[in-house]
């Protein structure tokens, strides 16, 4: 707290002198109609750096207040119109300058050598994706990748850290265009150890075209890490300290050197912290009531590195490589306590109490390598080749004593001690080629991708007798999953007249996969599960420009979601002897058909309505154990069908000159249907909604404040778990120093501690009511210092290793 107080005093000790001059005017189109919501920027004419940014109001009027005297370079821009430049706007001391009516013309003034840098909007809506610019939000400070996704438009994260988009599950997560081969808890752990301060933006593609791989029913989320394309040597240093119930801290550095022939970039970071997660359940099954408490406390340290280079052989040829890696070491202590009551008994005390204290050590490492070649022949003729290798290694050892006590919890009835050793090795090889060229007045694309995933999962279960672990071959196994996917696609897009744009494509994917469960006893051995199928995935889209400020879009796509190793391995991963999770080796891939209708108003307000129909939906279910009437478990199975109708509205609003707001509202209606026999029926309909808003306010003395939060209404997770509403409120404050090179941010997350979940599941004779909370309420302080020639940007076309939207996600 002393450090935080000192920082606050430092911030308020630096003040700015008020300026009295102002500049105003009105923007009009060629017909004299006012142009609302246009970007208006004042630049330094010497180096074109930004001095002030405003937005025109509904009447096309803009105002720059409290401006010092001097000469400015003026620029106004609006989507669908040529930029409007005034090379010299002179303002005298205390002058109230009125530029009058300014009209956008059909051509713009060329400024040779001028490069303009600007702060991006927090959310950008593009034809094929929604872009969530993390650098546009103060409240990213101190959070992680998973917490940041909770704030992204149209994205929700459930109580099991499963990610949904527009109410749909089955989203693929990428980092810098490379798919993460992680799911379930492994993906959650990765995202929780990815500092938000290292993330540049999050791209959300809800209905990818044929160029993108067909995996992922809800589309693609691509997390783009920060990088720099400035000429010369540049870098940044960032440190964050965050305090909730426990503390988190991390330190990150990055740098690059770029000239006309090459770009070399790299970075690294280290962090450590503690956290907790607590869950409570009351369950009814087989004439029993079970009151369960799960408390987890973890300590972790992690590091990451990134190194890459692009070599510009000529204006047409670029070769690049990239390697990055991450490591994680953690210790987790979990306390599981279950009171067991017999409902037929009049005794108010439990019949017995199970106490399990788990202690585990986890080590994870990830290394990826990319080699890229890009040819740009001009006239939109390009060839891109990528070869990738990913290596993922997870080690986990856990010790678990199960102690059964009487009702007084003083007499030990039974003691069953187990330990677990569960290493997982994953290797991924991919090779892909993309080619584009003009054809018949449009753009033709063709490409192929070959991928191979080898996953080796070992589950060793030990009975500990007198301190000596003895492997239990009835409960141990080795599960190998090999998957080969051979894909090819064709796509064509062109403009028809002045108002119509159409695109259509088809993708074919041949999947050959084998799940081989290798038991340690011959009588438990089962034949491998073979998957061999060819799927076709058509996609199509059309946009219509109703007028300058109104456009419609309609998109269709068919996609697939294959079960991965996390849900196929049938071993029992237990929290205690009476509470466990197991996979299902007989899961079928799910197929979804998505249809989306979008409307955009004034290039700012976006409305989307979507319909999706999924067959064989892979979902999580809670059910009682067949052999032990006291035990319950979580597993995966296919629903017969899932139908979702959803809507989303996103709107940036200029409330005043110094107050900008962003609103994102989504709603969906879900219908789950399945019949597993013996009364295990799923027939569930639910309506849910989510409201996110963020307000950014320009304060005196150079400060910028931010208020953000969300409210999520009741809904359904998985197949049958119905949850209650939850919400969160966050505050942030930011100030820049040293010619804007030092950025200091302070934020408070989930101030009222309402992010947790409450809900109920009723399926197959098991009724379970539960709630959960974690270390979501915290105060964070972050400092970022940038050095080097940040404002001189390269004009080189970015390569496949850099931030090029055309290659996002590859194929």
């Amino acid at each position: 707290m002393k450090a935080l107080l000192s920082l606050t005093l430092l911030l308020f000790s630096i003040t700015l002198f008020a300026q009295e001059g102002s500049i105003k005017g009105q923007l009009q189109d060629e017909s004299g109609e006012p142009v609302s919501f246009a970007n208006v920027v004042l630049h330094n004419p010497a180096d074109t750096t930004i001095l002030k940014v405003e937005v025109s109001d509904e009447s096309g009027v803009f105002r720059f207040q409290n401006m010092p005297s001097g000469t400015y370079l003026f620029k106004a821009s609006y989507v669908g119109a040529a930029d409007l430049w005034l090379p010299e706007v002179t303002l005298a001391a205390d002058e109230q300058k009125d530029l009058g009516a300014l009209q956008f013309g059909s051509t713009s003034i060329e400024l040779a050598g001028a490069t303009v840098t600007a702060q991006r909007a927090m959310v950008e809506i593009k034809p094929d994706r929604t872009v969530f610019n993390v650098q546009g939000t103060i409240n990213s400070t101190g959070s992680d990748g998973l917490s940041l996704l909770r704030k992204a438009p149209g994205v929700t994260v459930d109580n099991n850290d499963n990610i949904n988009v527009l109410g749909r599950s089955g989203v693929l997560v990428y980092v810098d265009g490379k798919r993460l081969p992680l799911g379930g808890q492994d993906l959650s752990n990765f995202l929780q150890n990815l500092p938000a301060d290292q993330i540049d933006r999050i791209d959300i593609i809800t209905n990818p075209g044929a160029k993108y791989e067909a995996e992922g029913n809800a589309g693609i989320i691509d997390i783009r890490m920060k990088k720099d394309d400035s000429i010369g040597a540049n870098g940044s240093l960032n440190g964050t300290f965050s305090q909730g119930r426990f503390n988190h801290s991390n330190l990150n550095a990055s740098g690059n050197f770029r000239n006309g022939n090459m770009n070399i970039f790299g970075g690294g970071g280290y962090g450590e912290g503690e956290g907790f997660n607590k869950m409570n359940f009351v369950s009814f099954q087989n004439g029993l009531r079970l009151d369960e408490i799960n408390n987890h406390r973890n300590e972790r340290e992690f590091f990451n590195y990134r190194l890459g280079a692009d070599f510009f052989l000529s204006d047409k040829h670029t070769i690049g490589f990239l390697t990055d890696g991450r490591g994680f070491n953690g210790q987790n202590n979990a306390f599981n306590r279950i009171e067991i009551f017999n409902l037929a008994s009049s005794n108010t005390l439990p019949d017995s109490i199970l106490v399990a204290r788990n202690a585990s050590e986890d080590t994870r490492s990830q290394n990826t390598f990319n080699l890229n070649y890009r040819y740009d022949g001009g006239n939109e003729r390009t060839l891109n080749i990528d070869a990738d290798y990913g290596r993922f290694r997870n080690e986990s050892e856990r010790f678990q004593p199960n102690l059964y006590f009487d009702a007084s919890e003083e007499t030990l009835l039974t003691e069953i001690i187990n330990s677990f050793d569960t290493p997982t090795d994953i290797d991924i090889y991919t090779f892909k080629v993309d080619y584009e060229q003009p054809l018949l007045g449009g753009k033709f694309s063709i490409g192929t991708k070959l991928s191979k995933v080898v996953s080796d999962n070992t589950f060793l279960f030990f009975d500990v007798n007198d301190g000596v672990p003895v492997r239990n071959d009835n409960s141990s196994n080795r599960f190998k999953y090999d998957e080969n996917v051979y894909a090819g696609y064709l796509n064509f897009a062109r403009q028809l007249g002045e108002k119509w744009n159409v695109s259509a494509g088809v993708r074919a994917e041949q999947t050959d996969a084998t799940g081989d469960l290798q038991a340690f006893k011959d009588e438990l051995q089962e034949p491998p599960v073979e998957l061999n199928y060819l799927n076709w995935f058509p996609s199509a889209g059309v946009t219509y420009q109703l007028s300058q400020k109104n456009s419609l879009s309609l998109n269709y796509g068919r996609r697939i979601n294959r079960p991965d190793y996390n849900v196929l391995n049938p071993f029992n991963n237990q929290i205690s002897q009476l509470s466990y999770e197991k996979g299902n080796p007989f899961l079928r891939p799910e197929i979804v058909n998505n249809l989306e209708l979008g409307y955009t108003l004034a290039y700012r307000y976006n409305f989307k309505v979507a319909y999706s129909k999924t067959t064989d939906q892979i979902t999580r279910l809670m059910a009682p154990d067949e052999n032990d009437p006291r035990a319950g478990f979580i597993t995966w199975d296919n629903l017969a069908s899932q139908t979702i109708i959803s809507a989303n509205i996103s709107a940036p609003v200029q409330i005043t000159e110094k107050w900008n707001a962003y609103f994102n509202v989504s709603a969906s209606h879900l219908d789950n249907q399945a019949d597993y026999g013996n009364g295990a029926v799923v027939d569930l309909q639910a309506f849910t909604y989510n409201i996110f808003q963020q307000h950014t306010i320009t304060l005196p003395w150079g400060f910028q404040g931010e208020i953000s939060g969300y409210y999520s209404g009741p809904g359904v997770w998985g197949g049958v778990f119905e949850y209650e509403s939850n919400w969160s409120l966050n505050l942030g404050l930011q100030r820049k120093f040293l010619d804007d090179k030092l950025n200091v941010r302070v934020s408070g997350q989930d101030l009222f501690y309402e992010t947790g979940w409450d809900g109920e599941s009723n399926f197959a004779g098991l009724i379970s009511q539960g709630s959960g909370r974690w270390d979501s309420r915290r105060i964070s302080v972050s400092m970022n210092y940038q050095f080097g020639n940040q404002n001189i940007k390269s004009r080189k076309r970015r390569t496949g290793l850099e931030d090029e939207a055309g290659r996002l996600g590859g194929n």
Side-chain angles (χ1 to χ4, degrees):
M1 293 303 294
K2 290 182 178 180
L4 181 58
L5 178 60
S6 300
L7 176 63
T8 304
L9 293 174
L10 172 64
L11 294 176
F12 279 95
S13 67
I14 300 177
T15 62
L16 299 177
F17 295 99
Q19 308 295 331
E20 300 300 328
S22 68
I23 301 173
K24 71 175 183 177
Q26 184 192 42
L27 297 176
Q28 299 178 355
D29 60 20
E30 290 184 274
S31 63
E33 293 294 321
V35 176
S36 55
F37 311 118
N39 291 320
V40 189
V41 186
L42 293 181
H43 301 275
N44 185 335
D47 58 9
T48 71
T49 55
I50 289 178
L51 300 177
K52 186 69 172 176
V53 179
E54 294 291 353
V55 178
S56 62
D57 62 19
E58 287 83 353
S59 301
V61 175
F62 62 89
R63 293 180 179 85
F64 292 96
Q65 304 281 10
N66 301 325
M67 298 301 299
S69 61
T71 301
Y72 299 96
L73 171 65
F74 174 96
K75 177 190 176 184
S77 59
Y78 185 74
V79 179
D83 292 344
L84 172 65
W85 292 90
L86 297 179
E88 188 174 290
V89 176
T90 302
L91 182 68
D94 299 329
E95 180 182 4
Q96 312 299 312
K97 181 177 284 292
D98 187 349
L99 298 178
L102 302 175
Q103 286 190 334
F104 285 100
S106 57
T107 57
S108 59
I109 298 174
E110 296 292 337
L111 298 179
T115 302
V116 179
T117 58
Q119 181 179 2
R120 298 169 296 176
M122 185 182 68
V123 176
E124 298 176 79
I125 306 296
K126 298 187 176 182
D128 64 338
R129 76 200 67 192
T130 298
V131 181
F132 181 41
N133 289 310
V134 174
Q135 286 184 303
T137 170
I138 301 170
N139 285 324
S140 66
T141 301
S143 66
D144 53 62
L146 189 66
S147 298
L148 208 55
L149 283 177
R150 297 179 189 272
K151 303 177 182 180
V155 179
T156 57
V157 182
D158 69 18
N159 61 323
N160 291 304
D161 295 340
N162 298 309
I163 303 167
N164 301 312
V165 177
L166 294 179
R168 306 195 302 255
S169 61
V171 65
L172 285 191
V173 177
Y174 284 65
V175 174
D176 284 334
K178 312 299 178 187
R179 178 187 169 187
L180 282 177
L182 304 176
Q185 192 60 45
D186 291 333
L187 177 60
S188 173
N189 290 334
F190 173 85
L191 293 173
Q192 290 183 66
N193 291 296
L194 182 63
D197 292 309
Q198 294 185 15
I199 300 174
D200 176 66
R201 73 172 195 266
I202 299 173
D203 289 354
I204 305 162
I205 309 176
T206 59
N207 207 0
K211 181 176 181 178
Y212 304 98
E213 71 178 280
E215 180 79 10
N217 285 359
I220 294 170
I221 291 179
D222 193 4
I223 300 173
R224 290 285 174 166
M225 308 302 290
K226 291 181 179 178
K227 58 183 62 143
D228 199 316
D229 66 344
S230 302
I231 291 293
N234 301 276
S236 66
L237 181 66
N238 186 87
T240 299
F241 178 82
S242 180
Q243 181 67 54
R245 180 178 298 184
F246 305 105
N247 66 71
H248 294 206
S249 60
N250 61 74
L251 182 67
N252 306 288
S254 63
N256 82 295
F257 174 79
R258 186 177 187 122
N259 59 26
N261 298 317
M262 64 179 179
N263 179 42
I264 300 175
F265 55 93
Y270 172 82
E272 60 182 12
E274 296 182 62
F276 75 91
N277 189 318
K278 60 180 182 180
M279 295 181 292
N280 299 321
F281 289 96
V282 177
S283 302
F284 300 88
Q285 63 185 59
N286 300 317
L288 301 175
R289 190 187 92 197
L290 298 95
D291 294 356
E292 181 177 359
I293 297 173
N294 287 294
N295 292 330
H296 297 257
R297 178 175 174 178
N298 59 74
E299 301 178 18
R300 59 181 184 268
E301 60 177 354
F302 52 90
F303 69 89
N304 62 80
Y305 68 88
R306 176 185 177 88
L307 178 64
D310 294 329
F311 300 97
F312 311 121
L313 306 181
S314 69
D315 290 340
K316 296 183 178 181
H317 303 276
T318 302
I319 292 179
F321 77 88
L322 172 66
T323 178
D324 65 13
R326 290 176 173 82
F328 166 85
N329 294 303
Q331 295 182 340
N332 184 68
N333 293 296
F335 173 77
N336 177 267
R337 183 177 185 273
I338 303 177
E339 294 183 352
I340 305 170
F341 296 84
N342 189 333
L343 296 177
S345 172
S346 59
N347 192 351
T348 59
L349 297 176
D351 291 349
S352 60
I353 300 173
L354 168 62
V355 176
R357 299 180 183 271
N358 293 267
S360 65
E361 294 187 2
D362 303 288
T363 302
R364 300 182 181 90
S365 65
Q366 169 195 332
N367 304 95
T368 62
F369 307 89
N370 169 268
L371 182 63
N372 170 265
Y373 167 75
R374 181 175 178 82
Y375 169 77
D376 188 343
N379 193 28
E380 298 184 328
R381 189 186 305 269
T382 62
L383 172 67
N384 198 87
I385 302 175
D386 273 293
D388 293 273
Y389 169 65
R391 182 180 185 272
F392 301 81
R393 298 293 183 266
N394 299 331
E395 301 283 343
S396 180
E397 295 183 353
R398 185 165 80 253
F399 180 76
Q400 182 187 96
N402 294 275
L403 308 178
Y404 289 89
F405 293 92
D406 64 0
S408 66
E409 207 169 341
E410 295 179 355
T411 303
L412 179 63
L413 304 177
T414 308
E415 180 181 74
I416 302 173
I417 302 177
N418 303 121
S419 64
F420 307 84
D421 185 4
T422 56
T424 298
D425 297 343
I426 307 172
D427 293 279
I428 301 178
Y429 310 84
T430 61
F431 178 79
K432 57 190 178 74
V433 180
D434 297 285
Y435 177 74
E436 293 183 346
Q437 73 166 43
L439 180 68
L440 301 176
K443 179 179 287 188
F444 172 73
S445 305
I446 187 172
T448 185
K449 178 178 181 180
L450 312 176
S451 68
K452 181 178 181 64
V453 179
V454 180
S455 176
D456 190 351
N457 311 271
T458 302
F459 184 82
L460 302 180
F461 184 104
F462 297 90
D463 295 317
V464 181
N465 301 314
D466 297 326
V468 179
V470 178
R471 193 176 74 190
N472 185 329
D473 287 347
N474 289 317
S475 302
S476 301
N477 67 34
R478 184 180 181 187
F479 186 73
K480 296 190 67 177
Y481 180 70
D482 293 355
E483 179 185 89
N484 298 285
V485 179
Y486 314 95
Y489 74 90
L490 298 170
N491 196 80
F492 180 74
R494 67 161 295 175
Q495 184 170 340
L496 300 177
E498 297 182 355
K499 295 188 175 183
W500 292 91
N501 282 277
V502 296
S503 65
V506 63
R507 183 181 186 88
E509 291 190 353
Q510 172 68 43
T511 302
D512 295 326
T514 301
D516 188 8
L517 178 64
Q518 302 174 6
F520 289 92
K521 283 189 173 182
D522 293 338
E523 60 269 24
L524 299 177
Q525 184 66 46
E526 297 181 4
V529 177
E530 302 282 351
L531 301 173
N532 190 313
Y533 49 88
L534 172 67
N535 285 107
W536 296 86
F537 302 98
S539 61
V542 58
T543 61
Y544 177 67
Q545 195 74 31
L546 295 168
S547 64
Q548 182 183 8
K549 299 181 181 181
N550 297 268
S551 64
L552 284 170
S553 65
L554 181 65
N555 292 279
Y556 163 77
R558 185 176 189 263
R559 301 186 63 76
I560 189 173
N561 202 36
R562 304 176 183 89
D564 60 29
Y565 70 93
N566 288 289
V567 299
L568 289 172
N569 195 339
F571 62 69
N572 292 350
N573 186 14
Q574 62 186 46
I575 300 174
S576 70
Q577 193 181 36
L578 300 183
S579 181
Y580 62 93
E581 181 181 78
K582 68 177 182 178
N584 180 357
F586 302 104
L587 283 174
R588 299 178 299 277
E590 58 187 30
I591 299 292
V592 65
N593 288 276
N594 294 324
L595 186 66
E596 296 179 0
L597 175 64
Y599 170 67
T600 301
L601 172 64
Y603 301 98
R604 294 170 61 85
Y605 307 109
N606 297 271
F607 308 85
K608 181 178 289 185
V609 178
Y611 170 85
S612 72
K613 178 76 170 182
T614 305
T615 56
D616 290 329
Q617 169 78 28
I618 298 173
T619 192
R620 180 174 289 199
L621 298 171
M622 302 174 64
D625 186 271
E626 295 179 354
N627 301 313
D628 190 335
R630 305 167 300 169
F633 64 93
I634 297 173
T635 189
W636 297 86
D637 214 323
N638 293 104
L639 293 175
S641 68
Q642 181 183 79
T643 304
I644 298 177
I645 300 174
S646 61
N648 181 259
I649 301 173
S650 63
V653 179
Q654 183 88 19
I655 298 176
T656 69
E657 294 179 0
K658 297 184 178 182
W659 181 1
N660 291 287
Y662 169 76
F663 299 90
N664 187 83
V665 181
S666 60
S668 62
H669 180 271
L670 174 147
D671 183 1
N672 286 343
Q673 296 291 326
D675 187 347
Y676 302 103
N678 298 321
V681 174
V682 176
D683 181 9
L684 184 61
Q685 297 79 39
F687 173 81
T688 188
Y689 58 93
N690 183 277
I691 302 171
F692 174 81
Q693 56 179 319
Q694 178 159 308
H695 302 264
T696 304
I697 303 171
T698 301
L699 302 172
W701 307 300
F703 286 93
Q704 186 179 61
E706 189 173 278
I707 304 173
S708 68
Y710 76 86
Y711 183 89
S712 180
V716 174
W717 289 321
V720 293
F721 192 91
E722 300 181 73
Y723 63 85
E724 300 298 327
S725 59
N726 62 89
W727 57 279
S728 175
L729 178 68
N730 314 307
L731 298 178
L733 187 66
Q734 176 176 274
R735 176 68 158 86
K736 293 184 178 181
F737 305 91
L738 305 177
D739 296 327
D740 291 346
K741 291 184 177 181
L742 175 63
N743 187 7
V744 181
R745 297 182 290 179
V746 182
S747 68
Q749 308 285 328
D750 193 17
L751 298 180
F752 292 92
Y753 200 43
E754 293 288 341
T755 298
W757 56 269
D758 300 89
E760 178 178 336
S761 171
N762 187 345
F763 176 71
L766 169 60
I767 301 174
S768 185
Q769 302 165 344
S771 63
R773 298 293 185 271
W774 56 90
D775 199 10
S776 58
R777 180 169 54 187
R778 54 183 51 252
I779 301 294
S780 302
V781 180
S782 174
M783 294 187 180
N784 178 272
Y785 180 74
Q786 295 185 333
F787 54 88
N789 209 352
Q790 300 286 332
N791 292 320
I792 305 179
K793 297 295 182 181
S794 169
R795 293 189 178 189
K796 277 284 184 183
R797 183 181 179 92
R798 305 185 119 182
T799 72
L801 292 180
E802 300 214 25
D803 183 12
E804 184 182 349
R807 288 192 59 249
L808 184 144
N811 66 314

